[in-house]
Amino acid sequence: MAKAKREDDLFAGKGGPAAESGYTAADIEVLEGLEPVRKRPGMYIGGTDERALHHLFAEVLDNAMDEAVAGFADRIDVSLEADGFVSVNDNGRGIPVDAHPKFKTKSALEVILTTLHSGGKFSGKAYKTSGGLHGVGVSVVNALSDVLEVEVARDRTLYRQEYSRGAPKGKLKEVGATPNRRGTKIRFRPDTEIFGERARFRPARVFAMARSKAYLHRGVTIRWKCAAELASEDAPEEAVLHFPGGLADFLAEQFGTRKTVTDQMFSGRIEREGGHGAAEWAVAWTAAGFGEADGFSRSYCNTVPTPDGGTHEAGLRAALTKGLRAYAESAGKAKRAAAISPDDVMAGAGAMISVFLANPEFQGQTKDRLANPEAARLVEQAVRDPFDHWLAAAPKEAERLLEFVIERAEERLRRRKEKEVSRKSAMKKLRLPGKLADCSGAEQEGSELFLVEGDSAGGSAKQARDRRSQAVLPLRGKILNVASASADKIGKNQEISDLLLALGVQTGSKFDLETLRYERVIIMTDADVDGAHIASLLITFFYTAMPALIDAGRLYLALPPLYRLSQGGKTEYAKDEADRDRLLKEEFTGRGKVEISRFKGLGEMMPAQLKETTMDPATRTLARVTLADGARAEAGKLIETLMGRKPELRFQYIQDNAAFAELDL
Ligand code: 0RA
């Protein structure tokens, strides 16, 4: 019984010695017990399916990898056993075994294995896989395992403890001397009560996980063992995984025998001084494709995969895209290269990026995306210079790559155009209102629909327009006062149904900005009281039936002049009396009679005048209709005022209260 007594006394009442790194057990944060993990495993490992099961292995392997990346371990043994156990054994410092001051009779190791969110931040490591689902802690693995054994070799002594479903089966015991061993071994079997009777580790998956770790940290050797009855071509019985070539070797393996655009892949790595981040990358391009996809991107932070990408991937894309564009410029191909987007650069690429960060933050439902903004800067800065040099060093190869990427960009633009043309011609087949003079161009980009009052103004506008990009729809008389009309009445109104047909949209919740047939909708009415009334009715209609069109900044007012002033060969236009008087005073100071004519309406203007003053994008001024935030709340009142008795006041109200951005388009 003497031995048992000794074991029980191991931590009784003692503070325990501080470890070499300055760690003391007091640093461990104790938050809560493990029951919540067994009650709601999904909250901790994202489910109880096969993916979640493998997450347990990932967690244990990540802990060992942390120790290796921090430089305390260089060997990890992974063993997959026939009975559902897996073990991970590293030669690091060993989990601390000294007594925890708060728990006197408990070892730090027991606290780490039975307490949520303990461990990690006190470990003195520059990089750790903490954050999100990753780094949930080995206590979660413990809670969800029907058996978990831990062995720690520290200070020439071997310690051992066994757990079941998170509860220790006995105290931490000294089991003997280990003069040559150091490190931590965790052997566990996931609980079938949680994962189901048939849940099993998939050997090929576990092997692939272990192997990618060896590629991601060239300072580690992973020795793999797999029970003979589980072994296959994708999970050998034994393997030594050590890749001094790092990510470049990884990428070469992914490419296999595929022919690449450049002879050499582009790879490199940098390490910031003082452990302030490190990055390693490898990229190559191929036309051969990868299964379903043209290319692939794999990214990692602290050796943890980030399948949803994130800031480190964004940094890589930015560096490659900017680098290629700059190279194109120096090669005199700037014009063609202007079309290159990051997607064009990455589409035919196999790209790998691995970063090491002190405080990784993972985002998203499954915590599979890296969020640290500094990672984008780190990677872009790290990659850009070497990429420029790589391109410059082999101009022939760089040329090939540039052509490869430009062709993708041009192909993408071609496809987009085709799609747009077919969409437009499908639209054309829809019956358009007979009085619409549509534009002939197929692209929506740059196209405009002028809404004009009456057939005579419509006639002038049709002659004055650029028929390739400008369409004209004459509206007869005053359009229905929609603010007060019932939906039924609106639906039966001929002017409005023509307008909707021409626009290619429906009203209310069925409105879809995507189907709008023109880039700009321009209300063009006479510069008088009646014109103002019609403009206000139309704005009210758009505001009521499709506010999103206004929000998108797609509704405009044309600003036709009211007066024409001429003297000798000089001609100016004035939009109102005040403008006229100002021009008379400032511009027409010479001798001779100034001729002033007042336009009664757009229909009175010569087509050339209308074009120059109101329609030609090169010379006209448009007012974009926008509603200020305040105006939105006031919208009900605004519409009432607009629809009130005195049209003069209404127009004034629009000019004063709706925010107008005057744009020279
Ligand atoms: C906490 C503190 C220290 C090391 C570890 C945890 C540690 C955890 C695992 C998990 C698997 N292998 C591990 N190796 C180490 C620092 C201990 C010290 O300062 O000596």
Side-chain angles (χ1 to χ4, degrees), residues 78-235:
V78 174
S79 175
L80 192 57
E81 301 173 21
D83 51 5
F85 276 92
V86 69
S87 77
V88 176
N89 183 6
D90 67 64
N91 66 345
R93 293 166 298 175
I95 299 179
V97 292
D98 53 335
H100 192 282
K102 259 199 212 161
F103 294 86
K104 306 280 188 213
T105 58
K106 267 188 200 165
S107 64
L109 176 128
E110 187 173 327
V111 174
I112 287 173
L113 278 162
T114 57
T115 314
L116 280 175
H117 312 301
S118 68
K121 70 177 183 184
F122 55 90
S123 66
K125 292 167 188 166
Y127 310 118
K128 55 188 183 306
T129 53
S130 65
L133 285 185
H134 314 292
V136 284
V138 70
S139 62
V140 168
V141 179
N142 193 18
L144 301 177
S145 298
D146 75 332
V147 177
L148 182 142
E149 302 161 7
V150 55
E151 280 180 14
V152 170
R154 245 180 107 96
D155 307 326
R156 299 175 195 281
T157 311
L158 184 64
Y159 304 85
R160 202 168 183 288
Q161 193 174 25
E162 213 177 294
Y163 293 82
S164 176
R165 302 189 167 118
K169 298 188 76 170
K171 285 196 172 287
L172 179 68
K173 289 179 182 137
E174 257 186 52
V175 290
T178 53
N180 300 315
R181 187 173 155 193
R182 214 172 59 104
T184 307
K185 176 178 178 181
I186 291 176
R187 177 175 180 266
F188 69 101
R189 181 171 65 190
D191 191 353
T192 53
E193 277 182 17
I194 302 285
F195 297 96
E197 277 309 321
R198 286 143 52 88
R200 283 284 181 283
F201 285 119
R202 295 247 296 240
R205 187 165 177 174
V206 176
F207 180 64
M209 288 164 82
R211 214 160 65 107
S212 70
K213 294 291 185 192
Y215 278 119
L216 287 160
H217 178 55
R218 56 188 88 198
V220 74
T221 299
I222 297 181
R223 297 189 303 203
W224 164 264
K225 275 204 168 72
C226 178
E229 48 269 68
L230 297 178
S232 69
E233 203 178 312
D234 299 322

Side-chain angles (χ1 to χ4, degrees), residues 395-523:
K396 268 214 185 107
E397 307 244 329
E399 201 70 21
R400 273 214 300 278
L401 176 59
L402 183 60
E403 255 330 291
F404 179 76
V405 172
I406 287 179
E407 267 165 34
R408 279 182 181 265
E410 288 173 347
E411 172 68 21
R412 175 175 54 81
L413 293 178
R414 248 197 316 279
R415 271 203 302 270
R416 193 170 79 181
K417 196 144 203 170
E418 270 167 24
K419 218 169 118 193
E420 201 157 335
V421 168
S422 73
R423 189 181 68 116
K424 194 88 180 187
S425 66
M427 290 283 194
K428 280 254 165 73
K429 284 191 198 111
L430 286 174
R431 257 183 332 132
L432 290 170
K435 54 191 179 166
L436 171 73
D438 206 10
C439 50
S440 60
E443 312 89 58
Q444 189 244 35
E445 205 176 311
S447 67
E448 303 179 332
L449 174 64
F450 284 84
L451 303 176
V452 298
E453 162 200 6
D455 289 337
S456 98
S460 296
K462 281 179 197 174
Q463 289 181 60
R465 71 185 174 135
D466 168 4
R467 49 171 55 249
R468 227 192 51 72
S469 64
Q470 297 183 319
V472 175
L473 180 67
L475 294 169
R476 207 185 291 256
K478 289 195 182 163
I479 101 167
L480 186 71
N481 187 338
V482 281
S484 59
S486 68
D488 186 43
K489 241 178 168 177
I490 293 174
K492 284 194 183 124
N493 182 282
Q494 183 64 44
E495 300 299 306
I496 287 179
S497 70
D498 280 355
L499 175 56
L500 294 177
L501 262 184
L503 292 169
V505 298
Q506 294 178 276
T507 57
S509 60
K510 291 194 204 136
F511 176 79
D512 179 359
L513 196 60
E514 288 288 304
T515 67
L516 184 62
R517 295 178 61 245
Y518 305 94
E519 185 177 337
R520 287 185 277 271
V521 179
I522 302 169
I523 298 168

